[in-house]
Amino acid sequence: MSQWRRNPELDENAKVGLSFIGIGYGVVLVAVFPTKDQTHIDVAGWFHLALAAFMLVISYMGYYSNRQKYAAWQIKFFNIPLLQYLISFGILFLYWELGIISPTGGPHATPRPEAIIILIVFVAYLAWDCLEVIVQESWRYIRVLISSGNTGMLPPLANDYAQRRNGHPIRPRRPSPNAWFAKDVRASRTVTFAFTCLYVALLVIAWHVHGTVWIAVFDSFYIATLFAYRFGQWTWSEYWYKARNHTGAGRNARDTPAHQP
């Protein structure tokens, strides 16, 4: 396990892993969708195609926004960014699978295939978010950001925030009240977990329904919930966590030894 704790390094120049994932989105979009024979696509197929395209676009928006907001780390054998890279590659493969499925309408048509794939994708999202929380709240990664001068990408201190609903203090992974708290990613993880539970329920329902109408209903609902998911990821942090009055002072002093967890 000690190999997974190799000294992290920022990937500010090459960003090979990130570029490869970005290209992967384009490959899935260009290689899958133009190959569809549009003359043989029925109503169920069009709804499914719209779902696959929308999910790919929404996913890329989230991925691009995340990589612009948070630091990129070099992928090494072996470290946590490598695990995140493998998960991202697996998610791209699932997008490919979703795109090449060509359901046909009729009384025996079923929304099971997309229900299964989307659920697996969200389980992968959840795993990625958990790893990102570990990275952002680790002093080993924080120390690299501070030494490199990238203080704008530092997460806030736990002591700077309180939960909006009950006002209880934040409990970070480390016991120190001045520990780093990746509130945005933690909020994103909460939203991902909620939608993963929703898609478990949808999979159970999909297992018992058939017909073109049900495919249209399911795919339309998936499109709506995917939009709600991405919107929730972008807004839930600001709603759930509120800054204390001394947040400004805490942020100015957080790169000092006194705030080391």
Side-chain angles (χ1 to χ4, degrees):
M1 291 297 295
S2 61
Q3 289 182 325
W4 294 97
R5 295 179 58 82
R6 288 190 174 184
N7 293 330
E9 296 182 27
L10 286 168
D11 188 9
E12 297 179 302
N13 298 319
K15 296 187 178 182
V16 176
L18 302 182
S19 298
F20 186 78
I21 295 297
I23 293 173
Y25 277 98
V27 169
V28 174
L29 184 63
V30 174
V32 173
F33 296 101
T35 61
K36 298 289 186 182
D37 186 357
Q38 298 182 4
T39 60
H40 294 85
I41 299 179
D42 58 11
V43 174
W46 280 113
F47 272 96
H48 180 85
L49 194 60
L51 169 61
F54 186 79
M55 187 170 192
L56 189 66
V57 172
I58 286 292
S59 175
Y60 182 76
M61 289 171 60
Y63 180 82
Y64 181 80
S65 175
N66 180 282
R67 294 300 83 188
Q68 289 294 314
K69 186 174 184 178
Y70 305 124
W73 300 96
Q74 289 189 10
I75 298 170
K76 297 182 179 180
F77 292 95
F78 300 92
N79 62 1
I80 292 178
L82 173 63
L83 283 179
Q84 292 180 294
Y85 169 74
L86 294 176
I87 291 173
S88 298
F89 187 79
I91 291 172
L92 281 176
F93 174 76
L94 291 170
Y95 293 156
W96 179 287
E97 287 294 317
L98 185 64
I100 64 176
I101 294 175
S102 299
T104 55
H108 300 292
T110 174
R112 292 178 194 171
E114 51 260 56
I116 293 173
I117 292 176
I118 291 177
L119 176 57
I120 297 174
V121 166
F122 269 76
V123 171
Y125 283 171
L126 190 59
W128 198 97
D129 285 346
C130 290
L131 292 174
E132 186 69 7
V133 169
I134 294 174
V135 168
Q136 288 204 34
E137 296 183 358
S138 169
W139 173 240
R140 298 175 66 254
Y141 287 86
I142 294 294
R143 184 169 52 221
V144 174
L145 285 175
I146 293 175
S147 63
S148 64
N150 289 293
T151 56
M153 292 185 174
L154 288 171
L157 296 174
N159 200 38
D160 291 341
Y161 284 86
Q163 288 190 358
R164 178 180 294 274
R165 288 294 186 182
N166 50 32
H168 291 171
I170 295 297
R171 292 181 175 84
R173 292 174 61 246
R174 297 179 180 272
S176 169
N178 287 328
W180 306 94
F181 185 72
K183 70 179 184 69
D184 292 334
V185 183
R186 280 179 174 264
S188 174
R189 184 177 61 179
T190 301
V191 174
T192 302
F193 177 77
F195 276 82
T196 302
C197 294
L198 170 64
Y199 292 143
V200 170
L202 288 179
L203 177 59
V204 174
I205 297 174
W207 217 263
H208 298 87
V209 297
H210 299 83
T212 302
V213 173
W214 277 109
I215 290 181
V217 169
F218 263 75
D219 289 355
S220 299
F221 186 75
Y222 275 128
I223 291 174
T225 55
L226 286 172
F227 177 83
Y229 165 70
R230 191 59 68 196
F231 180 78
Q233 279 197 315
W234 288 340
T235 58
W236 184 250
S237 175
E238 297 301 322
Y239 170 77
W240 190 243
Y241 301 111
K242 62 178 180 180
R244 297 179 185 274
N245 293 331
H246 64 274
T247 299
R251 286 184 173 177
N252 292 333
R254 64 183 178 177
D255 57 346
T256 65
H259 288 81
Q260 295 179 9

